[in-house]
Amino acid sequence: MLKITNVKKTFNIGTINEKMALNNIDFKMNQGDFVTIIGGNGAGKSTLLNMIAGVYPIDAGVILLDDVDISRLAEHTRAKYLGRVFQDPMRGTAAGMEIQENLALAYRRGKIRGLRWGITKEEKELYFERLKELDLGLENRMSSKVGLLSGGQRQALTLLMAALQKPKILLLDEHTAALDPKTAKKVLDLTDLIVNEDNLTALMVTHNMKDAIRMGNRLIMMHEGRIIYDVSGEEKKNLHVSDLLAKFEEASGGEFANDRMMLS
Amino acid sequence: MNVGGVLLAMQGALTQGILWGVMVLGVYITYKILNIADLTVDGSFAMGGCVCAMLIVNKGFNPALALVIATLAGVVAGAVTGILHTVFEIPAILSGILTQIALWSINLRIMGRSNIPLLKVETIVTQLMAITGLSQPIATMLIGIVFALLCIAALYWFFGTEIGCALRATGNNEDMVRALGVNTKRTKMLALMISNGLVGLSGALVCQNQKYGDVGMGTGAIVIGLAAIVIGDMLLGKLRSFGSKLASAVVGSVVYFIIRAIVLQLGMDANDMKLISAIIVALALCIPIVLDKWKLKSSYTTGGAK
């Protein structure tokens, strides 16, 4: 369903800060796949997600989504196919607007916005039910401003918003990295719940190798803008953190002492 | 002090405050909702007045139709700033300054001179007086109240619609809105157009009330707008509904012009009013920051013990 062919991206071309973020990426994903992505800093994980989402234009290559070429579509045009959750809990929601208003904005992703009311009574009932599933008590605070919520609550809400209109792909960019371990676990559990419930296709970047092994049905490892390891099914289930570390050592020529690869 | 004179001045201030209140609503859209300071306002306010005066005096237009065209002129001015800001990614403040400066020359071209008096021509005020037999001050105030209420009602409705919600969210979190499929360039553009349309309308209303259009009538309008929003926020900031926030912008405008009238009655030079407006806005922006810093400093204790 997602087919990435020969995608390249270099930042700051022609300057001293030139950095090849994606180096001829070829990647295919099937309907219902839940792929976790790991790799060190600057490996190109987030760039890969941003290229799919259209945050910056790619230098070369093709991104096909269900046989539609989305490589050159504007970010807001592609948004109709994609649900996104960011690392920074502040980025996924509008702090100055109510919880239900945020959901109503997400409910209209991919639809033409006109002069009909921005939120209807039936919708509110739907939002109440969906918020209840999160089990955070948010269903009783639907007219509270999102700015009053904690980071974990905001990430949970963003997840719900991303899935409210079923996306073709859910893009999760280290969406638990800014949370404390307990909250991170809660948000990951919700991620599993939402992905399974709607049978979503998802890509999740993480720095936590245990999570990367535990979640999803396929795992890829990136290094210097390339996919260096791709494992799925039974083989992935039987992976251990030590296997991944060994892979890393191998890929980086033994210099592995990465700052943010956590072993927790 | 002459009591009758004071009352008359207050009544005039009230009317002026309401008519300028329509402009403040426009500034509210950009400053509070879109979260940018749009300096086009000085130019588009004068443009509204100049277009209105030119059409009524030189072309013999119906004064109500002149209001409509002045509003559209404001919309176009907003669109120019919008294009500079969204398509060419010039910072919002600079885009507004460029349009504002350009409008000075354009407004002079529109009128052909720097001032057109509206003497012996019909305005919406004289028309209303002829129909109802009301006195001029009452008729003007009535017109102001009707326009302000209509604008508040229209904005209240608009910002509740799907497009309006997307626009509010654009001022809140652009990244998120784009990820939810909204073209934020378009929403910003729309906000600037609506805002400057209201500003142009207000300029035309003020022009018909004061009976002249002048190329300099918009000078400092943005600061008056910001001061009025700040005052309205201070007085009615506790009210949370969107409608009351819009109303507080107009109330702020009225209070601003009443303060101004009092200051003038006390014998101050009218030219000092711009200094006072600037001080009001500067204080309103400084106080929260100074308070925050003071709180941080004063909460420091050595060793953590009290």
Side-chain angles (χ1 to χ4, degrees):
Chain A
M1 64 134 6
L2 176 72
K3 192 175 171 211
I4 297 178
T5 320
N6 230 347
V7 164
K8 275 191 212 174
K9 178 71 191 177
T10 308
F11 288 110
N12 307 316
I13 291 178
T15 73
I16 193 158
N17 293 320
E18 184 167 309
K19 159 96 186 149
M20 184 174 271
L22 294 180
N23 186 359
N24 286 328
I25 294 276
D26 282 304
F27 176 67
K28 258 191 198 173
M29 231 173 126
N30 297 320
Q31 184 77 43
D33 267 354
F34 182 173
V35 180
T36 57
I37 309 176
I38 55 169
N41 279 340
K45 313 176 298 292
S46 292
T47 309
L48 179 64
L49 259 56
N50 284 336
M51 293 303 125
I52 297 171
V55 179
Y56 330 94
I58 50 177
D59 297 337
V62 179
I63 303 172
L64 289 179
L65 187 61
D66 279 342
D67 298 323
V68 178
D69 184 356
I70 62 165
S71 325
R72 302 185 71 181
L73 294 182
E75 185 182 358
H76 64 88
T77 315
R78 291 183 213 196
K80 67 167 160 268
Y81 309 117
L82 306 169
R84 290 164 69 193
V85 185
F86 310 99
Q87 178 176 353
D88 179 359
M90 304 299 146
R91 265 185 80 194
T93 44
M97 296 175 77
E98 297 169 2
I99 292 177
Q100 55 189 8
E101 288 178 324
N102 272 271
L103 285 160
L105 283 163
Y107 191 59
R108 286 162 179 74
R109 182 170 54 78
K111 297 186 174 168
I112 293 168
R113 286 164 215 258
L115 293 175
R116 292 177 300 270
W117 278 117
I119 182 165
T120 65
K121 217 174 161 190
E122 301 82 65
E123 280 172 48
K124 287 184 189 172
E125 282 160 25
L126 169 76
Y127 303 155
F128 183 88
E129 293 305 321
R130 296 302 302 262
L131 284 167
K132 221 164 139 183
E133 292 169 25
L134 296 182
D135 200 20
L136 294 168
L138 296 181
E139 67 275 16
N140 299 318
R141 303 171 61 188
M142 279 173 42
S143 55
S144 299
K145 293 265 166 22
V146 169
L148 299 170
L149 305 185
S150 69
Q153 288 171 327
R154 283 179 81 158
Q155 283 307 64
L157 178 62
T158 312
L159 254 176
L160 185 59
M161 284 165 61
L164 204 53
Q165 277 297 332
K166 188 177 175 179
K168 287 190 183 215
I169 302 184
L170 179 63
L171 300 174
L172 308 165
D173 191 358
E174 288 188 53
H175 67 306
T176 59
L179 307 175
D180 65 76
K182 199 175 150 218
T183 315
K185 187 176 178 308
K186 170 90 185 159
V187 170
L188 282 179
D189 290 345
L190 284 173
T191 307
D192 253 340
L193 181 84
I194 285 173
V195 169
N196 290 332
E197 188 180 42
D198 292 336
N199 193 21
L200 297 176
T201 308
L203 266 169
M204 179 175 104
V205 172
T206 177
H207 271 292
N208 187 311
M209 294 197 227
K210 272 191 181 165
D211 291 339
I213 294 169
R214 184 172 64 87
M215 313 261 303
N217 63 334
R218 186 175 158 197
L219 180 151
I220 61 175
M221 184 186 288
M222 292 186 69
H223 183 70
E224 290 180 349
R226 276 192 304 260
I227 295 172
I228 56 164
Y229 186 47
D230 187 340
V231 55
S232 53
E234 282 303 311
E235 202 186 340
K236 169 176 178 287
K237 277 185 198 155
N238 299 325
L239 272 179
H240 290 285
V241 170
S242 55
D243 302 330
L244 292 179
L245 283 174
K247 273 281 164 201
F248 254 109
E249 297 265 6
E250 190 186 311
S252 52
E255 66 179 36
F256 176 71
N258 200 291
D259 37 3
R260 282 185 66 196
M261 287 307 281
M262 284 182 285
L263 307 174
S264 58
Chain B
M1 205 182 281
N2 175 352
V3 177
V6 174
L7 281 180
L8 205 63
M10 289 306 137
Q11 194 184 30
L14 186 60
T15 305
Q16 246 186 326
I18 297 170
L19 294 177
W20 280 75
V22 173
M23 177 213 66
V24 179
L25 287 171
V27 176
Y28 187 89
I29 294 175
T30 47
Y31 183 64
K32 280 288 190 181
I33 297 179
L34 204 57
N35 214 3
I36 61 176
D38 171 30
L39 302 190
T40 317
V41 169
D42 285 21
S44 52
F45 186 83
M47 190 182 202
C50 295
V51 166
C52 178
M54 183 274 291
L55 289 177
I56 294 176
V57 175
N58 295 2
K59 308 276 179 199
F61 267 56
N62 177 308
L65 185 60
L67 287 181
V68 174
I69 298 177
T71 308
L72 293 177
V75 169
V76 173
V80 172
T81 302
I83 289 170
L84 291 174
H85 177 49
T86 61
V87 178
F88 299 107
E89 296 178 14
I90 300 172
I93 290 201
L94 189 51
S95 306
I97 292 176
L98 290 174
T99 313
Q100 184 202 110
I101 289 297
L103 281 175
W104 179 273
S105 307
I106 292 171
N107 290 339
L108 276 172
R109 288 268 174 200
I110 289 172
M111 293 202 297
R113 52 194 154 126
S114 62
N115 183 301
I116 297 182
L118 270 67
L119 299 170
K120 292 181 193 149
V121 290
E122 284 217 320
T123 64
I124 46 167
V125 181
T126 60
Q127 283 179 337
L128 186 68
M129 284 161 65
I131 297 169
T132 57
L134 289 170
S135 68
Q136 192 204 336
I138 301 291
T140 319
M141 195 182 299
L142 198 63
I143 287 168
I145 290 172
V146 167
F147 271 95
L149 286 179
L150 281 178
C151 291
I152 290 175
L155 291 178
Y156 184 80
W157 165 76
F158 175 73
F159 283 104
T161 64
E162 292 173 337
I163 297 178
C165 285
L167 209 156
R168 278 191 290 146
T170 304
N172 240 277
N173 185 345
E174 231 186 297
D175 282 343
M176 162 223 176
V177 179
R178 229 180 289 121
L180 295 179
V182 175
N183 184 345
T184 52
K185 289 185 177 181
R186 225 182 277 170
T187 49
K188 284 186 190 173
M189 184 93 179
L190 187 62
L192 284 165
M193 287 163 71
I194 295 172
S195 164
N196 283 290
L198 289 171
V199 175
L201 171 63
S202 175
L205 287 169
V206 168
C207 160
Q208 297 201 22
N209 174 43
Q210 69 189 12
K211 287 189 184 302
Y212 64 87
D214 188 281
V215 71
M217 66 189 272
T219 310
I222 180 69
V223 184
I224 294 176
L226 296 178
I229 288 171
V230 166
I231 293 169
D233 214 31
M234 279 195 292
L235 296 176
L236 300 170
K238 293 273 179 294
L239 299 176
R240 286 192 54 219
S241 86
F242 186 65
S244 61
K245 285 198 183 305
L246 291 174
S248 77
V250 179
V251 170
S253 171
V254 169
V255 173
Y256 173 88
F257 278 93
I258 287 176
I259 293 173
R260 186 183 130 118
I262 292 171
V263 170
L264 295 180
Q265 284 287 321
L266 293 176
M268 241 176 89
D269 190 333
N271 290 322
D272 288 337
M273 203 49 214
K274 288 210 176 19
L275 172 64
I276 294 174
S277 319
I279 291 173
I280 291 176
V281 175
L283 280 179
L285 296 177
C286 297
I287 288 171
I289 291 179
V290 173
L291 276 181
D292 273 359
K293 283 192 179 169
W294 180 77
K295 266 187 208 156
L296 278 176
K297 272 190 188 163
S298 59
S299 66
Y300 174 81
T301 51
T302 44
K306 284 211 171 176

